[in-house]
Amino acid sequence: CWTIYKRSERMHVYTTGQWVLLFFFYCLCGWIWESCYVSLCQRRWVNRGFLHGPLLPIYGSGAIIILLATIPVAGDLRLVWLFGMLAATALEYVTGDVMERIFKVRYWDYSSQKCNLNGHICLTSSIAWGFFSILLVRFVHPPIARLLARVPDLCVDPLAILFTAAFTVDVVRSVQAALDLRDLLAKAAEEAAARAAQEARAAQEARSALPRKVKSEKGIVVEGLSNCLVKFSKCCAPVPGDEIIG
């Protein structure tokens, strides 16, 4: 069992199954929030997230970590803000860095933001995580905790196992799809580089096939034409490869 500190100064005990249900609930809430927000910004529906299903694990993990990190300081909003910000920022950086290393794709990028670290985290995002921690601990989670307490104990573990099994299947399929996308992007990059090299060689060969002008003491000699000597005035200074005009 795990223990969380409540505002009413009482201690409430969560079982592992209850923590799992809380994780999936906040994954769903995060998916709804981010998908709706991004869709409104882009004026089209955008299914956010790494998984196929309506879950964003970064939000579920963030909510659980914030709740656990703020247990000792739940009575002080300033410390809730600080501890929640630090915990969520650390999670966001580690998750972003690991996913980029594995899949060679960035699922979020703060490179355009000021005070960012490798594009995985930034100051504005961290500040937002702090205020989200206060919102979660003081306003969002208490009614969710009361609702969770009404779920019969006999149903908690079976639901947790069911959701975990479905989540695991989704993760496996999503990881495979991401790995396939990584290989596809790598192959496309190699093909693009090969085409660029081929085009460069073709351009070089085309330039080499053009008639060249070779400066001599009395004029210029046009290669490919025999017995053709052309004089030029002092103001002219042709170089090999110049077009012949006149």
Side-chain angles (χ1 to χ4, degrees), residues 33-49 107-108:
W33 154 253
E34 188 155 329
S35 295
C36 292
Y37 175 77
V38 175
S39 297
L40 288 174
C41 292
Q42 299 187 12
R43 297 183 179 181
R44 63 182 180 85
W45 174 249
V46 179
N47 183 11
R48 294 287 290 176
Y107 290 89
W108 61 86

Side-chain angles (χ1 to χ4, degrees), residues 223-242:
E223 292 187 357
L225 298 177
S226 58
N227 299 324
C228 179
L229 181 64
V230 182
K231 291 183 177 295
F232 56 92
S233 61
K234 295 181 179 179
C235 64
C236 296
V239 297
D242 283 351

Side-chain angles (χ1 to χ4, degrees), residues 1-141:
C1 295
W2 297 77
T3 303
I4 185 167
Y5 189 72
K6 297 184 68 176
R7 188 179 181 183
S8 60
E9 303 296 333
R10 293 177 298 169
M11 303 297 287
H12 182 76
V13 177
Y14 289 135
T15 65
T16 301
Q18 288 175 322
W19 277 115
V20 171
L21 293 182
L22 287 173
F23 168 78
F24 287 121
F25 174 79
Y26 288 117
C27 284
L28 176 62
C29 291
W31 178 84
I32 294 173
W33 154 253
E34 188 155 329
S35 295
C36 292
Y37 175 77
V38 175
S39 297
L40 288 174
C41 292
Q42 299 187 12
R43 297 183 179 181
R44 63 182 180 85
W45 174 249
V46 179
N47 183 11
R48 294 287 290 176
F50 171 75
L51 303 176
H52 293 92
L55 297 174
L56 272 177
I58 185 66
Y59 282 90
S61 302
I64 299 303
I65 285 181
I66 288 172
L67 291 173
L68 290 173
T70 56
I71 288 174
V73 295
D76 191 331
L77 287 181
R78 294 169 299 180
L79 293 180
V80 168
W81 183 90
L82 178 61
F83 282 38
M85 178 199 67
L86 293 175
T89 299
L91 173 67
E92 188 174 34
Y93 184 87
V94 171
T95 303
D97 184 67
V98 170
M99 293 185 72
E100 183 179 8
R101 291 177 183 273
I102 295 176
F103 304 116
K104 308 302 180 184
V105 176
R106 285 199 170 192
Y107 290 89
W108 61 86
D109 191 357
Y110 297 124
S111 298
S112 60
Q113 300 289 331
K114 294 181 179 179
C115 302
N116 73 85
L117 181 60
N118 298 328
H120 299 308
I121 57 175
C122 67
L123 180 60
T124 54
S125 176
S126 296
I127 293 174
W129 277 118
F131 286 109
F132 173 76
S133 300
I134 295 176
L135 179 66
L136 174 68
V137 172
R138 285 297 177 90
F139 302 102
V140 175
H141 186 68

Side-chain angles (χ1 to χ4, degrees), residues 127-192:
I127 293 174
W129 277 118
F131 286 109
F132 173 76
S133 300
I134 295 176
L135 179 66
L136 174 68
V137 172
R138 285 297 177 90
F139 302 102
V140 175
H141 186 68
I144 301 304
R146 290 192 293 269
L147 181 62
L148 179 62
R150 297 178 183 177
V151 178
D153 293 340
L154 294 177
C155 298
V156 170
D157 288 342
L159 285 175
I161 293 172
L162 178 64
F163 290 153
T164 301
F167 176 75
T168 302
V169 172
D170 196 350
V171 168
V172 171
R173 292 181 177 177
S174 299
V175 168
Q176 185 59 54
L179 292 175
D180 293 341
L181 176 61
R182 182 194 65 179
D183 296 339
L184 182 62
L185 292 175
K187 184 178 179 180
E190 292 176 358
E191 291 177 352

